[in-house]
């Protein structure tokens, strides 16, 4: 509006009478001072900005605050204040004079070894401990991005650990390790074995399937695509049912693998399809120039994949792989439906044990299982997010 | 596999002509060779699987075939949307249908509720109100990291089973009761003329769409706007309501009454269904919330600032700028969550809800011992659902994809 400051409009074209009207009014009174601004720093300012900025917000704050307090209070009083901490049977965990019955922790304490090993023979449990240790070392080695010799770590994790675990867990009579039948395995051990198989076998298979799906050879590409889409289109539980009731028909009669082996195969094939899609996403993110560069250097298909494409693609898919693994870890609980004793099943068994049968034994057991699962999954998801952040920072430079 | 993936047949021919590349190094020859190997391998696997199955079936005295579908089942299903009873000789085929309908029922209810809850939580996560955002974030982080199966077992065994019996049921008013028999709600009964209300609803729906179309055209021509949303709402609610009263209130609600040890009247929703819906909705909503949050955050701030600069107020900015762009990001992963929910509904088997897997791949399989046929049918159903969905999604994505110059 102001004709004076706008250089694009020549002042000469504005009639003088109109220009004059701008200087017509001069206030004779000082303007009332404004109230000081509402503090936007400090505790009060923060509360105002984040909790009570308007009437609607205040109502929301009260509703959500009350809800949060109610849930937290319920949780804390059940798990801590009203909880029973010691005792030897159900009597200790019943509601006593005027006191509500909280979590029954002695039940969990007594069954802790069962949750970890299932019915694995007690004198042989050191073997499971060693497997846990070997696996933990491998996991740190592979997942720690700055660890030395990660190539060696991958070899260790994907080749040495599975073989050593098999020898230790199943047993090699020649080495003085008596055979422990897989029916006796149980608890967290089974959960770990099945979900690790989901990554140790599924990742290499998934990489092959992803490469196959992107292949220019039609038969290979179609076969991979059909496998991936079928496996992703059906629920895991049907795949496990197939492994349990249908696989037997398709194998020669002399072959009768243990249920554990069937479940392992089913979970590995199922996760491979999901892994393949994650890896394919990573492969697609690699610019075509990389492949062309590798080709122009005279590298063959497998060489260029091994030396140029896959190292880059796998690096950016680490978060996706970990997320798939989290999903697989949670899904492992489904094997209880086909009658295997995984961690969740051992908790169910403990909950239904008449020795500890009280109204709180169910909630206690499920709460314990939920906390364990949550710690594992949340830890992994934090890790994958940290890697993602790091990669995106590295990418921005 | 070919040595160099990107080399064209012409290069290969040139290589072969100069003599540097032998016949065996020709990518085309190698590619064909490996494909033939794969075909032979798959063929052999299929052949031996079929042969083994034939031998095994013969050894057990079974025959492959789907004749059993018309044989009477001899078991009962507590929740059936279509009549089913072993006394009347309901067949396996009918059990399959009952299971399929139950799966579709729980998936349908679950998808609607999970979408609503997921959008609310996803938007709440972006709230400026600290406690609202935090509560939603904690909800998402807790629910997502606990296996669905554990949640289902928890809801069923630890929450719904210990509820009081119908005599002491928890009452929510309006005839809604929660007890260890499940959820009891008023049941609508349809008298003569009730179909008119349904017709009125369809007519109102068509009218709302037609009006929106007309109002859009008018806005393009003249720039004048009509409150289409309000008109649609009024017609969709008003017209059926009007017809309802005009045709003499044909719909009644049969309100349940606590009577002795059970309820009389009302619609009984089995506790298995309640637990399954509860678990699926709470679990899937956490994932949908993350998708919604990511989708909204994917709309760059510049878009909102530009809309404000054009003079759009908060609401039109949201409706015309943010939501259309966010939906483009949200829809594909949202559909895959719908598919996940449908597939996860198969966990019903753990708490005994009679879905496709529990009834058909469980009870029917145990009764008939037709493992191969039943598993093939069950998997085919899920596969078909997921293929149809992804087919529809591909069409939708092509229509919604960013049109670039």
């Amino acid at each position: 509006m102001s004709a004076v400051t706008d250089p694009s409009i020549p002042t000469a074209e504005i009639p003088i009478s109109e220009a004059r009207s701008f200087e017509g009014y001069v206030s004779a009174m000082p303007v009332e001072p404004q109230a000081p601004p509402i503090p936007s720093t400090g505790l009060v300012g923060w509360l105002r900005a984040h909790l009570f900025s308007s009437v609607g917000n205040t109502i929301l704050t009260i509703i959500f605050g009350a809800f949060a307090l109610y849930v937290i209070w319920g949780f804390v009083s059940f798990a801590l204040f009203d909880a029973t901490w010691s005792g030897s049977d159900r009597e200790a965990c019943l509601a006593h004079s005027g006191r509500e019955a909280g979590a029954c922790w002695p039940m969990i304490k007594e069954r802790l070894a069962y949750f970890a090993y299932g019915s694995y023979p007690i004198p042989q449990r050191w073997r499971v401990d060693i497997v846990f240790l070997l696996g933990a070392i491998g996991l740190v080695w592979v997942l720690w991005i700055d660890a030395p010799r990660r190539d060696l770590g991958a070899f260790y994790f994907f080749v040495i650990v599975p073989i050593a675990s098999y020898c230790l867990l199943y047993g090699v009579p020649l080495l003085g390790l008596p055979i422990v039948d897989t029916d006796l395995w149980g608890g967290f051990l089974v959960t770990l074995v099945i979900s690790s198989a989901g990554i140790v076998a599924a990742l290499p298979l998934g990489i092959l399937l992803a490469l196959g799906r992107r292949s220019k050879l039609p038969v290979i590409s179609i076969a991979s695509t059909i496998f991936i889409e079928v496996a992703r289109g059906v629920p895991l539980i049907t795949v496990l049912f197939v492994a349990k009731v249908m696989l037997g028909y398709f194998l020669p009669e002399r072959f009768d693998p243990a249920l554990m082996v069937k479940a392992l195969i089913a979970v590995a094939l199922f996760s491979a399809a999901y892994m393949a899609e994650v890896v394919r996403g990573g492969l697609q993110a690699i610019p075509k120039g990389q492949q062309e560069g590798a080709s122009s250097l005279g590298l063959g298909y497998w060489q260029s994949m091994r030396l140029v494409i896959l190292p880059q693609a796998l690096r950016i898919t680490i978060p996706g792989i970990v997320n798939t693994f989290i999903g697989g870890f949670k899904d492992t609980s489904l094997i209880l439906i086909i009658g295997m004793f995984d961690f969740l099943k051992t908790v169910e068994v403990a909950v239904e044990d008449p020795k500890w049968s009280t109204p709180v034994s169910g909630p206690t057991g499920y709460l314990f299982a939920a906390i364990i699962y949550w710690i594992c999954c949340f830890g992994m998801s934090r890790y994958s997010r940290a890697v993602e952040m790091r990669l995106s920072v590295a990418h921005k430079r | 596999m070919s040595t160099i993936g990107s080399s064209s047949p012409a290069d290969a021919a040139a290589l072969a002509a100069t003599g540097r590349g032998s016949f065996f190094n020709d990518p085309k020859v190698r590619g064909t060779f490996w494909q033939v190997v794969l075909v032979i391998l798959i063929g052999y696997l299929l052949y031996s699987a079929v042969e083994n199955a034939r031998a095994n079936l013969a050894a057990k005295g079974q025959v492959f075939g789907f004749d059993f579908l018309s044989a009477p089942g001899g078991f009962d299903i507590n929740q059936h949307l279509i009549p089913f009873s072993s006394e009347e000789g309901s067949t396996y085929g009918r059990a399959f249908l009952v299971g399929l309908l139950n799966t579709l029922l729980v998936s349908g209810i679950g998808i609607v509720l999970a979408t609503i809850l997921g959008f609310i939580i996803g938007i709440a996560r972006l709230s400026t109100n600290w406690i609202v955002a935090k509560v939603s974030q904690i909800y998402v982080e807790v629910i997502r990291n606990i296996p669905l199966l554990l949640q289902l077992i928890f809801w069923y065994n630890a929450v719904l089973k210990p509820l009081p019996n119908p005599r002491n049921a928890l009452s929510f008013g309006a005839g809604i009761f929660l007890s260890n028999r499940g959820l009891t709600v008023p049941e609508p009964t349809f008298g003569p003329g009730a179909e008119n209300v349904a017709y009125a609803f369809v007519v109102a729906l068509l009218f709302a769409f037609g009006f929106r179309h007309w109002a859009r055209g008018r806005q393009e021509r003249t720039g004048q706007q009509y409150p289409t949303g309000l008109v649609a709402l009024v017609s969709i609610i008003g017209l059926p309501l009007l017809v309802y009263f005009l045709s003499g209130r044909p719909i009644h609600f049969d309100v349940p009454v606590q009577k002795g040890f059970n309820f009389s009247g009302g619609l009984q929703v089995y506790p298995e269904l309640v637990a399954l819906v509860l678990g699926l909705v709470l679990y899937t909503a956490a994932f949908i919330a993350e998708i919604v949050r990511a989708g909204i955050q994917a709309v760059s701030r510049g878009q909102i600032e530009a809309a404000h600069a054009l003079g759009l107020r908060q609401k039109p900015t949201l409706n015309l700028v943010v939501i259309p762009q966010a939906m483009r990001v949200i829809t594909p992963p949202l559909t895959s969550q719908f598919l996940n929910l449908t597939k996860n509904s198969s966990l019903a088997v753990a708490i005994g809800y009679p879905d496709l897997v529990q009834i058909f791949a469980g009870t029917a399989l145990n009764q008939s011992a037709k493992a191969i046929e039943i598993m093939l049918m069950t998997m085919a159903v899920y596969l078909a659902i997921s293929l149809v969905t992804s087919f529809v999604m591909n069409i939708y994505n092509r229509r919604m994809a960013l049109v670039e110059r």
Side-chain angles (χ1 to χ4, degrees):
Chain A
M1 269 310 224
S2 99
V4 186
T5 50
D6 194 345
S8 64
I9 302 168
T11 42
E13 281 179 24
I14 294 178
I16 291 172
S17 60
E18 213 175 279
R20 248 195 210 142
S21 69
F22 283 107
E23 33 191 86
Y25 171 74
V26 174
S27 172
M29 298 274 289
V31 178
E32 278 293 306
Q34 281 184 342
I38 297 163
S40 58
T41 56
L43 183 65
V44 176
W46 185 88
L47 286 177
R48 219 178 247 284
H50 292 98
L51 295 179
F52 306 105
S53 60
S54 66
V55 177
N57 251 341
T58 310
I59 295 171
L60 276 181
T61 301
I62 291 168
I63 293 175
F64 274 72
F67 174 73
L69 280 182
Y70 175 77
V71 171
I72 292 170
W73 177 249
F75 178 80
V76 169
S77 57
F78 178 80
L80 299 176
F81 297 153
D82 292 341
T84 311
W85 296 95
S86 60
S88 54
D89 58 7
R90 63 185 293 274
E91 284 300 318
C93 292
L94 289 172
H96 290 296
S97 50
R99 192 190 64 115
E100 283 222 16
C104 184
W105 294 125
M107 173 184 87
I108 302 291
K109 211 169 118 191
E110 193 188 272
R111 291 293 198 138
L112 218 46
Y114 180 60
F115 295 149
Y117 309 102
S119 309
Y120 207 89
I122 294 172
Q124 304 294 329
R125 283 185 182 170
W126 57 270
R127 285 155 57 174
V128 182
D129 293 334
I130 293 182
V131 170
F132 284 161
L133 189 71
L134 289 177
I137 293 172
L139 211 60
V140 171
W141 202 346
V142 170
L143 292 183
W144 183 20
I145 299 254
D146 296 325
R149 295 304 305 271
R150 291 183 70 224
D151 51 338
L152 215 62
F155 177 75
Y156 169 79
F157 189 69
F158 286 100
V159 179
I160 295 180
V161 172
I163 295 174
S165 304
Y166 171 79
C167 295
L168 279 165
L169 292 177
Y170 189 67
V172 184
L174 279 177
L175 298 176
L177 297 171
I179 284 179
V180 178
D181 201 76
T182 50
D183 291 346
L184 295 174
W185 301 14
F188 208 67
L189 167 66
V190 166
T191 296
L192 272 186
V193 165
I194 300 269
S195 54
S196 312
I199 194 160
V200 171
L203 188 58
L205 205 58
I207 293 173
L208 282 182
L209 281 170
L211 292 176
R213 190 168 182 174
R214 281 168 60 85
S215 166
K216 289 195 172 57
L217 307 175
V219 173
I220 291 175
S221 156
I222 289 172
S224 310
T225 309
I226 289 178
F227 178 83
I228 292 171
E229 291 306 326
V230 168
R232 278 159 42 95
V234 297
L236 175 58
I237 188 70
T238 60
V239 178
L240 289 172
F241 268 52
V242 165
K244 190 184 177 187
V245 300
M246 202 169 127
L247 197 63
Y249 284 102
F250 294 118
L251 294 174
E253 215 162 343
R254 60 183 182 283
F255 255 16
D256 188 26
L259 186 57
M260 170 78 83
V261 179
K262 290 179 183 171
L264 270 176
I265 296 172
V267 170
L269 291 179
F270 186 77
S271 343
Y274 283 83
M275 220 49 111
E277 286 300 277
V278 172
V279 173
R280 191 166 71 102
L283 288 173
Q284 275 173 347
I286 304 300
K288 208 169 166 5
Q290 295 287 334
Q291 171 68 61
E292 288 166 356
S295 300
S296 72
L297 285 175
L299 297 182
Y301 178 82
W302 289 107
Q303 277 177 315
S304 63
M305 282 301 152
R306 192 166 58 82
L307 299 171
V308 180
I309 307 293
L310 280 177
Q312 301 182 60
L314 289 183
R315 206 181 150 84
I316 57 173
T317 44
I318 287 179
I321 291 172
V322 174
N323 286 342
T324 312
F325 182 65
I326 296 174
F329 184 75
K330 286 189 293 175
D331 281 350
T332 311
S333 54
L334 300 198
I335 58 174
L336 79 82
I337 294 174
I338 58 165
M340 290 180 64
F341 278 75
D342 78 324
F343 173 60
L344 190 52
K345 181 69 188 178
T346 57
V347 171
E348 280 225 293
V349 169
V351 162
E352 282 155 14
D353 182 1
K355 184 184 172 193
W356 290 100
S357 165
T358 63
V360 291
S361 59
T364 306
Y366 300 134
L367 179 67
F368 171 73
I371 291 174
I372 298 290
Y373 273 113
W374 188 82
I375 290 173
C376 296
C377 297
F378 186 71
M380 286 189 280
S381 75
R382 283 282 118 171
Y383 167 80
S384 100
R385 201 161 306 169
V387 172
E388 211 170 333
M389 294 290 271
R390 228 184 99 140
L391 291 177
S392 73
V393 169
H395 220 66
K396 273 174 191 157
R397 255 180 300 176
Chain B
M1 195 149 303
S2 66
T3 44
I4 299 172
S6 58
S7 68
S8 65
D11 295 340
L15 266 177
T18 52
R20 279 196 294 118
S22 69
F23 176 74
F24 296 103
N25 276 338
D26 184 342
K28 229 179 156 181
V29 174
R30 284 189 163 206
T32 315
F33 171 73
W34 284 114
Q35 295 192 73
V36 169
V37 167
L38 186 70
V39 168
I40 291 173
L41 197 69
I42 293 176
Y44 173 73
L45 279 179
L46 283 179
Y47 170 77
S48 61
V50 169
E51 275 305 300
N52 284 331
R54 189 172 300 171
N56 285 328
L57 283 173
K60 287 179 183 165
Q62 295 173 351
V63 196
F64 181 85
F66 291 91
D67 299 338
F68 74 102
L69 287 175
S70 50
F75 53 87
D76 277 309
I77 306 173
N78 62 3
Q79 183 191 315
H80 42 80
L81 297 178
I82 51 175
F84 187 93
S85 117
S86 60
E87 284 158 17
E88 287 161 26
S90 293
T91 58
Y92 283 108
R94 202 159 176 86
F96 171 76
L97 276 184
V98 171
L100 179 59
L101 285 176
N102 282 344
T103 289
L104 293 178
L105 174 77
V106 76
S107 313
I109 301 174
I111 283 172
V112 171
L113 295 181
T115 311
I116 297 171
L117 187 64
F119 269 77
I120 292 174
I121 295 169
I123 293 166
R125 276 207 70 180
L126 295 171
S127 167
T128 50
N129 189 319
W130 182 81
I131 198 156
V132 172
K134 268 288 164 225
V135 166
S136 329
Q137 187 194 346
I138 291 171
Y139 171 84
V140 169
E141 291 293 358
V142 167
I143 295 288
R144 276 205 316 174
N145 287 316
I146 297 174
L148 174 61
L149 184 63
L150 175 55
Q151 297 188 30
L152 285 177
I153 292 176
F154 171 79
W155 289 117
Y156 185 62
N157 284 341
V159 176
L160 287 169
K161 263 197 190 161
L163 280 174
N165 55 28
R167 192 187 280 254
N168 307 313
L170 307 174
S171 173
F172 294 93
I176 300 172
F177 295 97
L178 198 59
S179 68
N180 58 4
R181 302 276 173 90
L183 191 67
T184 315
V185 294
E187 184 180 17
T189 49
F190 303 100
E195 66 276 4
N196 293 342
V197 180
Y199 294 146
F201 179 74
V202 174
V203 168
L205 212 61
L206 289 176
F207 169 74
F209 270 105
F211 182 77
R212 195 178 78 141
H213 186 74
W214 174 80
R216 280 212 173 156
R218 191 183 155 87
Q219 189 189 347
E220 303 244 314
R221 281 196 313 277
T222 63
Q224 281 180 323
Q225 288 185 330
Y226 271 106
T228 45
L230 196 67
V231 171
L233 201 68
V234 167
S235 63
I236 287 175
I237 293 176
L239 194 60
L241 212 62
L242 191 71
V243 173
Y244 170 71
F245 281 110
L246 283 182
S247 44
R249 299 207 274 177
I251 303 174
H252 295 281
F253 282 97
D254 182 13
V255 180
V257 193
Q258 282 161 300
K259 208 173 194 180
F261 291 103
N262 211 337
F263 296 99
S264 80
L267 186 69
Q268 190 80 25
V269 185
Y270 287 96
E272 292 83 15
L273 178 59
V274 177
L276 189 59
V277 167
L278 201 61
L280 285 174
V281 166
L282 293 178
Y283 187 73
T284 315
F287 287 87
I288 292 180
E290 275 302 276
I291 291 167
V292 169
R293 181 190 62 89
I296 294 175
Q297 281 182 337
V299 179
S300 73
R301 267 213 73 73
Q303 294 283 332
I304 299 164
E305 286 164 1
H308 287 318
L310 284 173
L312 293 183
R313 264 177 274 130
Q314 200 61 42
K315 221 182 131 205
T317 306
L318 213 59
N319 283 338
L320 301 173
V321 178
V322 178
I323 290 177
Q325 296 191 67
M327 282 315 285
R328 185 178 287 150
V329 182
I330 290 172
T331 312
L334 188 63
T335 340
S336 78
Q337 282 308 319
F338 291 168
L339 277 182
N340 277 351
L341 189 145
T342 310
K343 284 188 280 172
N344 281 338
S345 73
S346 61
L347 295 190
V349 66
I351 58 171
Y353 172 77
D355 82 323
L356 183 63
V357 170
Q358 209 260 339
I359 278 302
F360 199 57
T363 314
L365 194 152
N366 288 339
Q367 296 263 332
S368 68
K370 293 277 187 183
I372 302 177
E373 297 88 336
I374 284 181
M375 286 320 299
L376 285 180
M377 281 176 74
T378 310
M379 290 171 90
V381 166
Y382 286 102
L383 205 56
I385 294 176
S386 105
L387 288 182
V388 167
T389 314
S390 56
F391 179 72
V392 172
M393 273 320 294
N394 282 343
I395 295 175
Y396 173 85
N397 274 340
R398 218 168 297 144
R399 274 191 59 186
M400 290 296 283
L402 209 56
V403 181
E404 283 178 343
R405 268 166 296 170

